[in-house]
């Protein structure tokens, strides 16, 4: 699934609040923007943008500001809010659902699923968007996508993953030959994890219950199921039990039509050799 966060986001308001507080602390200390920037090791232009809520300050920026302005931890404590604002709202919401999942199932027929993407492949996916993202927005979305992949590294209670990728997503050389080769190697790496089943639905298969498009199905730790679908500019979380059940039935059919996980890894190995 090529997760496209909504442009209507609450993170901008949060960044404006942080920026206003930083400006108030700086002015109370009697420092001009150029003096403050020099003191914390950042440019005056960046200070202006942070205080206007147009740039997301790094943790190091807040730590240095806290030290220089004598805030005794009050500015440094903003790091959690800023970190949350770093990612688009829908990415945060999806990450929260994923954190509650005991099973995550995904079918994709356009691109490699976001949780499986390498940084190079994800950058190519975002870079191909039209109209194009501004550089800062592209980096923001890329950082968010990579951060979500921490779900594979959970020390405890890691969910069970099931991915079915249409063969077309393995053949489409997004980002070029080397990027795609690295992406296929990543699929092989993740497909060998004990809690990950990765399957390929071959193009020669006469049956395909996923012609309606890519979708995600999450089975949560409270026993409920939630789905997610998106087409072009529209994304939708599916919480209605009957609709989520339909996605469950559909996903079961797709898995049955696909190659087994073992056959799929061999298929991906072959595709890598041809890349």
């Amino acid at each position: 699934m090529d997760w496209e966060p909504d442009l209507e986001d609450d993170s901008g308001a949060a960044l404006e609040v942080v920026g206003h507080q930083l400006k108030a602390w700086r002015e109370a200390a009697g420092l001009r923007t150029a003096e403050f920037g020099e003191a914390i090791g950042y440019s005056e232009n960046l200070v202006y943008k942070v205080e206007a809520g147009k740039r997301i300050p790094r943790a190091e920026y807040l730590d240095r500001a806290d030290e220089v302005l004598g805030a005794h931890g009050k500015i440094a404590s903003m790091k959690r809010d800023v970190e949350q604002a770093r990612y688009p709202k829908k990415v945060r919401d999806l990450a929260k659902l994923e954190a509650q999942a005991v099973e995550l199932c995904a079918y994709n027929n356009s691109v490699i699923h976001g949780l499986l993407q390498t940084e190079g492949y994800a950058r190519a996916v975002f870079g191909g968007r039209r109209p194009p993202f501004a550089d800062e927005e592209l980096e923001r979305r890329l950082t968010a996508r990579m951060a979500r992949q921490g779900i594979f590294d959970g020390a405890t209670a890691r969910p069970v993953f099931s991915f079915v990728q249409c063969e077309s997503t393995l053949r489409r050389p997004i980002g070029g030959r080397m990027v795609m080769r690295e992406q296929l190697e990543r699929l092989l790496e993740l497909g060998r994890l004990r809690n990950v089943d990765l399957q390929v639905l071959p193009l020669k298969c006469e049956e395909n219950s996923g012609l309606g498009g890519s979708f995600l199905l999450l089975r949560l730790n409270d026993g409920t199921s939630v789905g997610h679908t998106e087409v072009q500019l529209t994304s939708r979380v599916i919480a209605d039990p009957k609709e989520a059940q339909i996605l469950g039935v559909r996903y079961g059919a797709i898995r049955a039509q696909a190659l087994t996980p073992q056959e799929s890894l061999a298929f991906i190995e072959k595709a890598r050799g041809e890349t």
Side-chain angles (χ1 to χ4, degrees), residues 192-210:
R192 295 186 182 108
L193 296 178
R194 288 186 301 166
N195 62 327
V196 176
D197 281 336
L198 178 57
Q199 296 176 255
V200 175
L201 182 60
L203 289 172
K204 68 178 182 179
C205 183
E206 295 181 1
E207 292 183 287
N208 183 345
S209 297

Side-chain angles (χ1 to χ4, degrees), residues 110-125:
S110 57
V111 294
I112 303 298
H113 189 275
L115 289 176
L116 304 174
Q117 291 178 7
T118 64
E119 183 173 339
Y121 183 95
R123 183 179 293 278
V125 169

Side-chain angles (χ1 to χ4, degrees), residues 97 100-103 217-227 238-241 244-245:
L97 284 175
Q100 301 173 45
V102 295
E103 184 178 13
L217 183 65
L218 295 155
R219 296 190 173 96
L220 308 182
N221 52 24
D222 63 1
T224 60
S225 294
V226 177
I238 300 171
D240 180 86
Q245 185 179 47

Side-chain angles (χ1 to χ4, degrees), residues 94-161:
L94 184 59
K96 289 177 182 177
L97 284 175
E98 289 170 348
Q100 301 173 45
V102 295
E103 184 178 13
L104 184 152
C105 306
Y107 169 68
N108 288 76
N109 62 3
S110 57
V111 294
I112 303 298
H113 189 275
L115 289 176
L116 304 174
Q117 291 178 7
T118 64
E119 183 173 339
Y121 183 95
R123 183 179 293 278
V125 169
F126 286 131
R129 192 252 202 188
R130 293 295 181 270
F133 290 122
D135 290 344
E136 291 180 8
E137 181 63 17
L138 189 150
E139 293 299 327
R140 181 184 184 217
R141 291 173 184 248
L142 181 64
T143 300
R145 177 158 293 183
M146 294 299 101
R148 278 178 54 215
Q149 296 184 6
I151 193 172
F152 289 113
D153 303 324
T156 59
R158 289 186 294 174
V160 173
F161 299 93

Side-chain angles (χ1 to χ4, degrees), residues 18 22 36 40 42 50 56-69 71 73-83 86:
V18 169
L22 286 168
F36 177 62
I40 65 174
Y42 289 89
V50 167
I56 303 174
R58 294 183 178 276
E60 296 83 0
Y61 183 107
L62 296 175
D63 285 335
R64 287 290 296 142
D66 192 280
E67 179 181 346
V68 168
L69 298 174
K74 293 183 177 66
I75 292 177
S77 67
M78 299 178 189
K79 285 189 287 188
R80 182 175 179 180
D81 293 334
V82 169
E83 187 64 22
R86 187 176 298 278

